[in-house]
Amino acid sequence: MMLWGKLAQPVCSLGKVPPPGACRGFWGWLNAVFNKVDYERIQAVGPDRAASEWLLRCGALVRYQGYQKWQQDYSGLPTGPLGKYKIEAINATDSCIMYRGFDYLDGLEHVTEIKLQKCIYIQDECLQRLSETKNLQKSLLQLKIISCGNVTDKGIIALHKLMNLEYLYLSDLPGIREKETTAHILQQALPNLKLELDLE
């Protein structure tokens, strides 16, 4: 957080008062840049390495298959033979991942769990895109969505395409207005799903 303040200071104190939202606009632009998909990079280093770079650049963590430790340091990303490190879990707490970066998920074949917590750019379209990702339809077993204010019932219902999902945890989602109906629709589509709700 200290880095954020140091970077924001020069941008927002250029001798005159910036217009309202100017600094926020800058950070939104920067986050959009972080989420731009580099298809050549995916081809060059493989989908897991490219997705790791994207996720860590945006402030998320990844855990690789066969490892217990979460990878959080971008400069400490493991090196080795192409394809050696397969992403098994993603923790996107407080990250700036957004829809435009979700193409990085397409090539991931081993992701079993994803946590989306306090992700200001996660919205219904992101969850729909997640559920339409063929590899995630096969591999994803656990999903937690917590304190993502732009998620509504529509986005949660879209998750019904994740046919192998075993556990879904939903908490602090003020956009969900019809929790019983939404839960019922999901349970009908995914009868083996354990759905845990902590919603008002």
Side-chain angles (χ1 to χ4, degrees), residues 136-148:
L136 292 180
Q137 289 175 353
K138 297 174 196 166
S139 69
L140 192 62
L141 303 177
Q142 295 182 32
L143 178 59
K144 296 177 183 176
I145 305 171
I146 305 161
S147 303
C148 295

Side-chain angles (χ1 to χ4, degrees), residues 40-60:
E40 290 179 8
R41 183 71 178 157
I42 295 172
Q43 288 294 320
V45 300
D48 289 272
R49 173 66 189 216
S52 296
E53 292 173 358
W54 164 59
L55 289 161
L56 269 61
R57 193 168 51 236
C58 291

Side-chain angles (χ1 to χ4, degrees), residues 26-37 96 98 100 121:
F26 169 76
W27 289 110
W29 170 82
L30 187 61
N31 290 335
V33 169
F34 285 165
N35 280 274
K36 187 172 189 284
V37 179
C96 69
M98 59 178 66
R100 76 179 299 190
Y121 298 110

Side-chain angles (χ1 to χ4, degrees), residues 11-198:
V11 174
C12 296
S13 59
L14 300 173
K16 58 183 177 178
V17 178
C23 291
R24 189 178 323 155
F26 169 76
W27 289 110
W29 170 82
L30 187 61
N31 290 335
V33 169
F34 285 165
N35 280 274
K36 187 172 189 284
V37 179
D38 184 344
Y39 298 99
E40 290 179 8
R41 183 71 178 157
I42 295 172
Q43 288 294 320
V45 300
D48 289 272
R49 173 66 189 216
S52 296
E53 292 173 358
W54 164 59
L55 289 161
L56 269 61
R57 193 168 51 236
C58 291
L61 311 176
V62 297
R63 194 178 71 231
Y64 298 109
Q65 203 173 42
Y67 294 83
Q68 295 301 313
K69 184 176 174 264
W70 286 93
Q71 180 66 41
Q72 58 187 355
D73 180 13
Y74 184 90
S75 60
L77 276 168
T79 56
L82 193 64
K84 178 180 178 186
Y85 296 93
K86 304 290 187 187
I87 297 176
E88 183 176 54
I90 297 169
N91 181 344
T93 300
D94 289 317
S95 73
C96 69
I97 64 169
M98 59 178 66
Y99 183 88
R100 76 179 299 190
F102 273 43
D103 282 5
Y104 279 111
L105 300 174
D106 287 337
L108 304 182
E109 299 178 355
H110 303 89
V111 177
T112 59
E113 58 184 272
I114 296 177
K115 181 179 183 182
L116 303 171
Q117 182 172 358
K118 296 181 184 175
C119 300
I120 61 171
Y121 298 110
I122 293 296
Q123 52 198 359
D124 293 341
E125 293 78 12
C126 299
L127 299 183
Q128 182 155 357
R129 174 70 173 82
L130 195 75
S131 70
E132 291 171 351
T133 304
K134 296 293 183 198
N135 285 329
L136 292 180
Q137 289 175 353
K138 297 174 196 166
S139 69
L140 192 62
L141 303 177
Q142 295 182 32
L143 178 59
K144 296 177 183 176
I145 305 171
I146 305 161
S147 303
C148 295
N150 296 320
V151 170
T152 71
D153 299 270
K154 179 183 172 188
I156 300 303
I157 290 170
L159 298 173
H160 75 277
K161 294 181 181 174
L162 296 170
M163 296 307 292
N164 289 321
L165 195 63
E166 296 174 355
Y167 178 74
L168 176 62
Y169 177 73
L170 305 175
S171 176
D172 187 27
L173 301 172
I176 295 183
R177 307 264 190 239
E178 306 288 334
K179 67 178 179 181
E180 288 83 10
T181 305
T182 299
H184 179 71
I185 292 169
L186 267 185
Q187 293 284 191
Q188 279 197 314
L190 303 170
N192 296 323
L193 176 68
K194 180 184 177 190
L195 180 58
E196 191 173 341
L197 303 176
D198 181 17

